[in-house]
Amino acid sequence: MNRLYLLGLLFILVPAFCQAQEYKHIPLETNSDLKVHKKAPKQEIQITFPNLNQVSYYHDEKKLSAIQKLEKKRRYKEVLPLLEAYVNNFGIENFYKDTPLIWRLGQLLEKQGQSEKARSLYRMVLKHHRSDVRRVYSYYDSLEQNNKDYYVPLNYYYEMVEYRKSVSTFQPPKGVYLNMGNSINSPFEDYGPTINSEDEVLIFTSQRNTQGLNGRANEDLFYTRQENGYWEQAQSFGKPINSIYNEGSACLSRDGNTLYFARCESPDGYGNCDLYVATKQADGTWGNIQNLGADVNSSAWDSQPTLTANEDTIYFASDRLGGFGLSDIYYTYKTKKGEWAPAENAGPVLNTRESEVSPFFHPLYQVLYFSSRGQLYNFGDFDIYKTYRVRGKWQEPRNIGPLVNGRGSEYYFSIDSKSKNLYYARSEASDLHNLDLFSFPLPMEAHPLAVTKIEGTLLDSLTNKPLSGIISVIDLENGIEISSKYIRPDGTFEFDLIDNTKYMMLIQSPDFFTIEREISLKQDTAFQIMTTLIDYSVPLVFKNIEFDQNQSDIKEDMKPILDEVALFLLDHPTYRLEISGHTDGAGDPEFNLTLSQDRADAIRKYIEQEGNIARGRIESYGFGSSKPLREEKNEDDRRINRRVEFKLIKPEKVDRGGR
């Protein structure tokens, strides 16, 4: 059924039907009201806080008093620069002690037309508040309702795909939540995966060696090698890396000769858990194990290191005092002397009042992945996020979507060097402490190169009002999965995709015929898509459905229209169709009756075959010349009466989301 997937390259569908009582035909068109334009990428605005790691709390009574006096006099234009300068001096404690000042600055910026900057401040209020901010949440939600993503639930996503498998020309999804199996996972907790630069060695943490210090579960480092696409039985690192103390959360240098890892409750540690480094010896064993020192480690928990691509910076998680939340992302970098500098907090964009853990820096790109329970859009408990470093600033973290993040918790996200597969630990919602390692092909939302934006608006061609529906995008070249989304309340949608790639875009709804077109994406692009609603109260009459005289064979110019009808039924499996054939009054009534039935049957059989539609969903009737629309005074009248009517029938209860 390839033709259902190759109906053209334009992104406009005006279903060409008329209400039968209007006595006119409109051809199926795909070339009107289309607006396409290339967009320059929108730069995200982030506010810097230079004092963040210099002072714990900033307070200047004189400056604050001047701001308050101007506020009382409503001299807001004068307040704005003073308040912005004051907030820019904030230390970490200000973010939860002085959140009203951040909120107020956002309001003043919004009034001055700086809405993007204002929203970044509103997000900080919501991430860092420690009081009741329901009013802020309500206001921010109203601002974001036409900006955020409305993902289709995962089980429904696969249900939609299942209907198309028998006719699709693209690769079906490969599935998610693929457990790495018994050769790697154990009945105990297994987590913290990291893969080397050659994608051949996977290192992870396991509690399978249950007897550790004081008889408690012991965390050790394990590894597995990949041979011919399969991971071998996991093996312990052994001594001296593993000990009676807890070891885990490791990462390797590119050459594989340096190992950074966490060790807990060790006598030479500064806190509960510390970061260590080990060097591979000439005989292949590990040795020269050293604590990274008091500049990096604290008197609390420090763990989960990840190296940047040039290996001069380590990001890690810590619950030391003086952070934004329960645990934060910190970093240290190598000085000119080759020493690790004092650790610094990664800032209020990445960190929240809750917990941020398990950072992973992509081996090739300036992309940081981490797990959080305090960001604004969570699917479960802990979710994985990605953030880009642009001009030295971390951008707002993005949830990498429901194909990775479920109702449970996801941690320790890692990607191979080719960005083909992901490795991470997750727990089921029913047991948040039972961690296993999972791996599957990297979805689009998590891909580091998915930065080219396609966005659009779906409107009714008659009223110019926004329409609702489900939009899906399929990668036709790489088989990378992309989550489906509901169109936003204002009719807009957007996806972040990889440029120089071909995609198929599908928009499904019970209110209009399925829109399906191919995209060759080269840069940020915006579309305006116009379509016409189906009127279920009247039959649809298509101009191109015209048979040769006295014949019932399906003609080539009919097929695009019939394919649209078949595709609609395929996407809405609870809907039915009635086809009625009619002739004019010329000729023998008995012959006309038989001919109209043959024509209706031919259309029914074509749609059933091309759409793989089950028998019984389509009924076909022939009425001959018994139901004319007009008194036949001329050829135009006879042409109007020679018609095939399509009546779509809704189920008693409309199926979910247009299905």
Side-chain angles (χ1 to χ4, degrees):
M1 185 165 166
N2 291 354
R3 63 178 60 90
L4 285 183
Y5 293 85
L6 298 171
L7 292 178
L9 301 178
L10 295 178
F11 289 82
I12 171 70
L13 174 66
V14 180
F17 57 84
C18 71
Q19 298 180 355
Q21 64 266 35
E22 292 181 348
Y23 310 133
K24 64 180 180 179
H25 297 71
I26 305 175
L28 188 71
E29 298 283 357
T30 58
N31 58 5
S32 63
D33 296 331
L34 172 66
K35 296 180 181 179
V36 181
H37 66 274
K38 301 297 183 182
K39 287 191 62 185
K42 183 172 66 175
Q43 294 296 321
E44 190 174 298
I45 298 173
Q46 291 293 359
I47 300 173
T48 58
F49 299 93
N51 280 353
L52 193 70
N53 287 288
Q54 309 302 319
V55 298
S56 298
Y57 182 70
Y58 172 77
H59 183 79
D60 189 314
E61 188 64 37
K62 184 177 180 180
K63 291 181 180 179
L64 198 57
S65 177
I67 292 170
Q68 292 169 345
K69 288 178 180 179
L70 290 171
E71 277 273 14
K72 289 180 180 179
K73 296 178 181 179
R74 299 185 179 183
R75 292 160 62 177
Y76 301 129
K77 288 186 178 181
E78 297 175 57
V79 171
L80 178 56
L82 296 179
L83 182 57
E84 187 166 16
Y86 190 89
V87 170
N88 284 348
N89 285 316
F90 274 10
I92 291 176
E93 289 183 24
N94 291 98
F95 283 84
Y96 60 86
K97 290 182 177 179
D98 294 327
T99 45
L101 293 180
I102 303 175
W103 168 248
R104 183 56 182 154
L105 177 58
Q107 289 178 309
L108 293 175
L109 287 168
E110 187 178 6
K111 287 180 179 179
Q112 294 297 318
Q114 301 183 52
S115 58
E116 288 300 317
K117 201 171 184 179
R119 290 185 189 191
S120 70
L121 290 168
Y122 297 156
R123 287 192 290 267
M124 287 183 187
V125 173
L126 297 177
K127 289 180 184 182
H128 298 287
H129 73 88
R130 297 188 183 180
S131 58
D132 186 357
V133 290
R134 283 176 289 184
R135 184 169 62 92
V136 182
Y137 269 113
S138 177
Y139 182 73
Y140 183 76
D141 284 346
S142 68
L143 291 178
E144 288 294 293
Q145 66 174 336
N146 293 318
N147 291 298
K148 64 182 181 180
D149 293 320
Y150 298 86
Y151 285 106
V152 172
L154 192 61
N155 58 340
Y156 185 35
Y157 167 80
Y158 282 111
E159 184 181 315
M160 289 194 304
V161 173
E162 194 68 30
Y163 288 120
R164 287 173 171 261
K165 273 188 177 179
S166 61
V167 297
S168 66
T169 58
F170 55 85
Q171 286 185 311
K174 299 175 183 178
V176 299
Y177 298 165
L178 301 181
N179 192 294
M180 294 191 73
N182 293 333
S183 63
I184 294 178
N185 289 310
S186 71
F188 302 91
E189 292 193 9
D190 302 287
Y191 47 93
T194 183
I195 191 167
N196 73 338
S197 59
E198 301 299 322
D199 302 334
E200 60 184 14
V201 178
L202 184 77
I203 301 172
F204 64 97
T205 308
S206 178
Q207 293 187 13
R208 65 191 68 187
N209 294 335
T210 56
Q211 292 302 312
L213 190 66
N214 300 324
R216 290 179 294 178
N218 193 37
E219 293 176 294
D220 282 340
L221 284 171
F222 285 73
Y223 69 93
T224 175
R225 295 186 182 276
Q226 187 170 211
E227 292 290 340
N228 300 318
Y230 294 94
W231 293 104
E232 297 178 342
Q233 189 74 30
Q235 301 180 52
S236 172
F237 260 80
K239 295 180 180 180
I241 297 296
N242 293 327
S243 68
I244 61 172
Y245 312 108
N246 289 327
E247 289 81 25
S249 300
C251 65
L252 273 172
S253 60
R254 284 193 305 273
D255 61 12
N257 293 326
T258 306
L259 181 75
Y260 296 91
F261 65 100
R263 175 173 283 174
C264 302
E265 301 175 333
S266 176
D268 65 342
Y270 293 88
N272 179 25
C273 293
D274 281 16
L275 300 184
Y276 288 77
V277 61
T279 306
K280 184 175 284 188
Q281 308 300 297
D283 62 357
T285 62
W286 291 95
N288 192 28
I289 300 174
Q290 297 180 17
N291 189 299
L292 288 190
D295 280 342
V296 176
N297 293 306
S298 70
S299 59
W301 172 82
D302 301 287
S303 186
Q304 304 168 346
T306 181
L307 272 173
T308 56
N310 54 12
E311 301 187 351
D312 64 354
T313 304
I314 295 176
Y315 286 85
F316 63 97
S318 176
D319 67 356
R320 64 187 64 189
L321 294 176
F324 288 100
L326 301 177
S327 61
D328 282 1
I329 306 297
Y330 286 79
Y331 69 96
T332 177
Y333 58 90
K334 278 189 176 180
T335 65
K336 293 181 179 179
K337 295 181 180 180
E339 300 172 347
W340 292 107
E344 297 187 6
N345 193 291
V349 176
L350 271 62
N351 294 312
T352 70
R353 72 188 186 281
E354 289 285 348
S355 294
E356 280 68 45
V357 294
S358 62
F360 166 73
F361 205 97
H362 194 279
L364 297 178
Y365 309 107
Q366 293 286 306
V367 186
L368 182 70
Y369 299 83
F370 63 96
S371 183
S372 173
R373 65 187 304 177
Q375 299 293 331
L376 298 187
Y377 301 112
N378 269 51
F379 293 104
D381 189 25
F382 277 91
D383 278 4
I384 308 283
Y385 292 79
K386 71 174 179 179
T387 177
Y388 292 86
R389 192 165 179 81
V390 180
R391 297 187 181 95
K393 300 177 184 178
W394 288 114
Q395 305 299 289
E396 181 65 22
R398 309 176 190 184
N399 190 304
I400 62 173
L403 294 176
V404 174
N405 293 317
R407 294 182 179 178
S409 292
E410 290 74 35
Y411 309 90
Y412 306 103
F413 185 86
S414 185
I415 303 173
D416 61 23
S417 63
K418 298 180 179 63
S419 300
K420 292 291 185 182
N421 295 296
L422 64 85
Y423 304 87
Y424 76 130
R426 70 178 300 269
S427 66
E428 299 295 342
S430 58
D431 186 356
L432 298 180
H433 300 288
N434 183 25
L435 289 170
D436 269 356
L437 295 180
F438 289 73
S439 176
F440 55 89
L442 188 68
M444 183 66 70
E445 288 87 346
H447 203 287
L449 296 182
V451 294
T452 302
K453 191 177 298 294
I454 172 176
E455 59 184 44
T457 307
L458 179 65
L459 302 173
D460 184 339
S461 61
L462 299 179
T463 65
N464 217 39
K465 292 182 178 179
L467 298 177
S468 61
I470 292 174
I471 181 164
S472 306
V473 177
I474 297 98
D475 184 325
L476 296 177
E477 298 182 0
N478 305 306
I480 298 176
E481 232 172 312
I482 306 167
S483 301
S484 297
K485 301 176 184 178
Y486 294 105
I487 291 175
R488 296 165 178 155
D490 66 347
T492 63
F493 59 86
E494 68 177 51
F495 289 84
D496 291 321
L497 305 174
I498 302 171
D499 61 4
N500 297 310
T501 305
K502 289 185 178 180
Y503 299 93
M504 185 68 71
M505 184 180 74
L506 310 171
I507 305 180
Q508 301 158 267
S509 170
D511 297 326
F512 50 81
F513 283 103
T514 300
I515 300 170
E516 178 179 298
R517 296 295 180 267
E518 191 174 301
I519 312 166
S520 292
L521 189 62
K522 294 184 179 180
Q523 65 184 72
D524 283 10
T525 303
F527 303 94
Q528 185 181 82
I529 307 168
M530 310 292 289
T531 191
T532 305
L533 298 179
I534 296 172
D535 186 346
Y536 288 93
S537 65
V538 296
L540 314 179
V541 178
F542 300 97
K543 179 179 180 181
N544 286 19
I545 306 298
E546 294 183 358
F547 290 87
D548 290 336
Q549 188 173 5
N550 298 331
Q551 299 296 315
S552 60
D553 297 326
I554 301 295
K555 298 164 62 177
E556 284 299 319
D557 58 358
M558 299 180 187
K559 291 180 179 179
I561 299 172
L562 299 182
D563 288 343
E564 293 286 356
V565 177
L567 189 58
F568 182 90
L569 293 174
L570 179 68
D571 288 335
H572 303 85
T574 59
Y575 283 58
R576 295 187 299 111
L577 174 67
E578 290 183 358
I579 303 170
S580 302
H582 301 267
T583 68
D584 60 31
D588 179 62
E590 290 292 333
F591 177 82
N592 287 342
L593 184 64
T594 301
L595 179 63
S596 64
Q597 184 67 57
D598 290 344
R599 288 174 172 176
D601 289 343
I603 291 174
R604 173 182 55 78
K605 292 175 182 177
Y606 176 88
I607 294 175
E608 287 176 343
Q609 178 180 351
E610 294 301 298
N612 196 26
I613 306 299
R615 294 292 300 271
R617 286 185 61 197
I618 306 175
E619 296 178 347
S620 51
Y621 305 97
F623 293 97
S625 57
S626 63
K627 294 187 176 183
L629 293 175
R630 286 185 178 182
E631 181 182 354
E632 297 180 2
K633 298 179 179 179
N634 51 46
E635 178 56 31
D636 284 342
D637 297 334
R638 287 188 287 274
R639 181 177 58 80
I640 290 295
N641 288 337
R642 293 194 301 268
R643 68 197 187 279
V644 177
E645 294 180 350
F646 297 77
K647 186 176 182 181
L648 288 163
I649 302 172
K650 285 185 178 182
E652 290 185 6
K653 184 178 181 180
V654 177
D655 49 2
R656 177 182 48 179
R659 297 200 64 80

